[in-house]
C-alpha cells in the first residue's frame, strides 16, 4: 500500500512543475482570463524563441506576462499591447507575423510552390491525355515511363 | 528542354536549402535585432545599487556617450565577459554604467566585490520593468548610448575583445565623426 502511495506521489510530481509554471494572476472574470490566455499564446517568448509567452517558464516570459496582464487591467487593447511589445522586442514577438510586403514570401511562398507543382502536374496530365488514345494501354502494363 | 526540368527544379531546391543553411549559420539565431537602435533610449530613473536613496535617470547621463551593461550575479556569461569589461571596454574611456538586472542587491554587491567593479555607477532594476523598456530579455546585454540619449548599438551576449574591436570601436568612431 505504502509503495503504491509513493508511486502515485511520484507520478504527481510533474504536476507540481506545471503548477509552478503558471503563476496565479488575479483575473477579474473568466472572459478576462480567456483573453489573457489567447493573447499570451499569440506572443513569442524572446528568450526561448520556440515557445509562446503562455508556455514559457523563462524569467522574461514571466515578466512579460505580468506586463501584458497589467496593460489589460489598464484597459489597453490587444493591438496596443502587441504594439508595445513590438516596439521593444521587434516583430519577432508576434507568433503570427503580420501580412506585409516583407513577409509575403513567408505567407504565400508555400502556396506559390504548390501552385507551380499543380501547373506541372496539369501540364503532364494533359500531355499524356493527348498521346494516350493513339496507343491503347495494355491491361497489364507494368512499364513505368518516367 | 522539359527533360531537364526536374534537374532544374532540383538545382533550385538545392540553392534554396543551401541559402537557408548559409543564412542561419551566418548569424546568431537567438539574437533579436533591437528595434530601439537609433531610437531615443527609454526614460528611466533607477536607484543606485547599495544606495537606494540616490537615483540615476536618463537626463543625468546626457551629454556624452556611455556604455550600459546589463548584468546580474545570477548570470554565468557575465562572469565570462567581466575581464573584457574591466579591460578593453574600460580603455575606451567612456562612462560604464552597470545595469543590475533582476538581482538581489546583496548578491550583486557580493558579486562585484568578488570579481571587481568596473562600473562607474551601478543602477538596479530589481523587478525588470526598466529592462522591458530597453528590450532586455537576458543578460549580459550591452548598449552604446550617445550624448543625446539615443541608442546607437546593442550587443546581446558576452562582450569579447573581438566584439570591442569589430563592433564597439567602429560604432564609437562613427559617433565621433558626426561630432557626437
Amino acid at each position: 500500500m505504502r509503495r503504491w502511495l509513493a508511486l502515485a506521489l511520484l507520478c504527481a510530481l510533474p504536476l507540481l512543475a506545471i503548477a509552478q509554471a503558471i503563476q496565479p494572476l488575479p483575473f477579474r472574470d473568466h472572459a478576462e482570463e480567456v483573453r489573457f490566455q489567447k493573447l499570451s499564446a499569440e506572443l513569442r517568448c524572446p528568450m526561448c524563441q520556440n515557445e509562446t509567452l503562455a508556455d514559457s517558464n523563462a524569467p522574461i516570459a514571466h515578466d512579460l506576462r505580468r506586463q501584458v496582464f497589467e496593460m489589460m487591467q489598464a484597459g489597453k487593447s490587444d493591438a496596443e499591447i502587441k504594439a508595445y511589445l513590438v516596439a521593444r522586442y521587434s516583430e519577432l514577438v508576434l507568433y503570427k507575423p503580420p501580412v506585409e510586403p516583407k513577409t509575403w514570401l513567408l505567407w504565400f511562398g508555400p502556396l506559390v510552390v504548390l501552385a507551380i507543382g499543380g501547373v506541372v502536374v496539369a501540364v503532364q496530365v494533359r500531355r499524356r491525355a493527348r498521346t494516350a488514345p493513339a496507343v491503347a494501354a495494355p491491361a497489364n502494363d507494368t512499364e513505368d515511363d518516367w | 528542354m522539359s527533360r531537364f526540368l526536374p534537374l532544374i527544379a532540383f538545382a533550385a531546391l538545392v540553392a534554396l536549402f543551401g541559402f537557408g543553411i548559409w543564412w542561419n549559420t551566418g548569424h546568431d539565431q537567438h539574437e533579436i535585432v533591437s528595434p530601439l537602435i537609433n531610437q531615443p533610449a527609454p526614460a528611466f530613473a533607477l536607484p543606485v545599487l547599495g544606495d537606494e536613496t540616490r537615483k540615476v535617470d536618463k537626463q543625468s547621463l546626457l551629454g556624452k556617450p556611455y556604455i550600459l551593461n546589463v548584468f546580474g550575479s545570477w548570470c554565468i556569461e557575465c562572469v565570462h565577459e567581466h575581464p573584457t569589461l574591466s579591460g578593453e571596454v574600460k580603455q575606451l574611456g567612456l562612462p560604464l554604467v552597470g545595469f543590475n538586472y533582476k538581482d538581489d542587491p546583496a548578491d550583486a554587491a557580493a558579486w562585484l566585490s568578488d570579481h571587481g567593479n568596473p562600473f562607474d555607477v551601478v543602477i538596479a532594476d530589481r523587478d525588470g520593468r526598466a529592462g522591458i523598456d530597453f528590450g532586455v530579455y537576458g543578460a549580459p546585454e550591452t548598449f552604446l548610448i550617445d550624448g543625446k540619449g539615443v541608442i546607437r548599438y546593442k550587443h546581446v551576449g558576452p562582450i569579447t575583445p573581438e566584439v570591442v574591436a569589430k563592433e564597439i570601436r567602429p560604432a564609437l568612431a562613427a559617433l565621433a565623426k558626426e561630432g557626437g
Side-chain angles (χ1 to χ4, degrees), chain B residues 64-67 89-96 120 144 168 172:
Chain B
K64 57 185 169 188
Y66 62 97
I67 285 176
V89 175
K90 207 76 181 128
Q91 282 158 22
L92 294 171
L94 296 179
L96 184 53
D120 296 293
L144 171 64
I168 299 181
L172 271 177

Side-chain angles (χ1 to χ4, degrees), chain A:
Chain A
M1 179 61 207
R2 193 175 286 175
R3 193 180 295 172
W4 284 110
L5 194 68
L7 193 69
L9 281 175
L10 215 61
C11 291
L13 264 181
L15 289 174
L16 267 180
I18 295 168
Q20 274 183 339
I22 303 160
Q23 86 278 21
L25 285 166
F27 293 110
R28 276 191 290 237
D29 51 37
H30 183 64
E32 188 179 53
E33 186 172 350
V34 168
R35 184 186 159 209
F36 176 82
Q37 296 300 353
K38 184 172 171 289
L39 187 57
S40 57
E42 286 168 7
L43 294 164
R44 184 191 304 277
C45 166
M47 185 77 194
C48 29
Q49 294 173 6
N50 290 330
E51 286 185 295
T52 64
L53 272 192
D55 294 336
S56 177
N57 204 20
I60 184 67
H62 174 270
D63 288 358
L64 290 179
R65 278 197 298 266
R66 180 192 63 197
Q67 193 71 31
V68 167
F69 177 71
E70 284 175 4
M71 289 180 81
M72 277 173 57
Q73 299 274 300
K76 301 270 190 238
S77 71
D78 287 7
E80 280 172 318
I81 295 172
K82 282 182 183 171
Y84 170 91
L85 288 171
V86 166
R88 286 157 180 78
Y89 293 98
S90 84
E91 275 168 358
L92 208 85
V93 292
L94 305 178
Y95 231 101
K96 206 165 144 192
V99 183
E100 54 183 24
K102 209 168 59 180
T103 57
W104 281 352
L105 192 64
L106 189 68
W107 275 101
F108 307 118
L111 268 182
V112 170
V113 172
L114 192 70
I116 291 171
V119 167
V120 168
V121 169
V123 166
Q124 289 289 342
V125 165
R126 190 170 299 180
R127 186 178 300 166
R128 245 174 246 193
R130 223 186 297 137
T131 51
V135 195
N140 57 347
D141 183 12
T142 51
E143 208 179 16
D144 243 341
D145 55 355
W146 56 281

Side-chain angles (χ1 to χ4, degrees), chain B:
Chain B
M1 176 60 205
S2 69
R3 305 179 49 178
F4 291 108
L5 212 58
L7 185 66
I8 294 168
F10 177 70
L13 278 181
V14 167
L16 183 70
F17 295 152
F19 173 77
I21 292 171
W22 172 79
W23 174 254
N24 280 324
T25 47
H27 70 285
D28 178 6
Q29 290 175 60
H30 246 70
E31 179 168 344
I32 296 175
V33 177
S34 176
L36 291 167
I37 288 172
N38 293 325
Q39 299 287 322
F44 61 90
L46 292 169
V48 172
L49 184 73
D51 183 4
E52 298 278 316
T53 54
R54 231 181 97 211
K55 282 205 170 183
V56 168
D57 60 9
K58 188 188 164 189
Q59 252 57 40
S60 65
L61 290 166
L62 292 179
K64 57 185 169 188
Y66 62 97
I67 285 176
L68 186 83
N69 178 253
V70 180
F71 77 102
S73 66
W74 46 269
C75 152
I76 298 158
E77 290 294 330
C78 296
V79 178
H80 295 154
E81 77 167 358
H82 190 269
T84 313
L85 273 184
S86 33
E88 282 83 351
V89 175
K90 207 76 181 128
Q91 282 158 22
L92 294 171
L94 296 179
L96 184 53
V97 178
F99 188 99
N100 187 227
Y101 180 58
K102 299 200 70 175
D103 210 350
D104 182 73
D107 291 348
W111 190 85
L112 285 172
S113 69
D114 278 358
H115 294 89
N117 184 356
F119 302 110
D120 296 293
V121 64
V122 178
I123 51 181
D125 180 26
R126 276 203 78 173
D127 57 11
R129 281 170 203 272
I132 291 177
D133 284 338
F134 271 92
V136 168
Y137 58 99
E141 288 186 13
T142 304
F143 295 84
L144 171 64
I145 299 170
D146 73 10
K148 297 189 193 83
V150 174
I151 296 177
R152 302 302 291 259
Y153 165 82
K154 178 185 179 183
H155 180 81
V156 175
I159 295 280
T160 60
E162 199 187 16
V163 170
V164 175
K166 287 195 176 154
E167 294 177 19
I168 299 181
R169 279 187 187 277
L172 271 177
L175 259 183
K177 216 175 191 177
E178 57 186 79

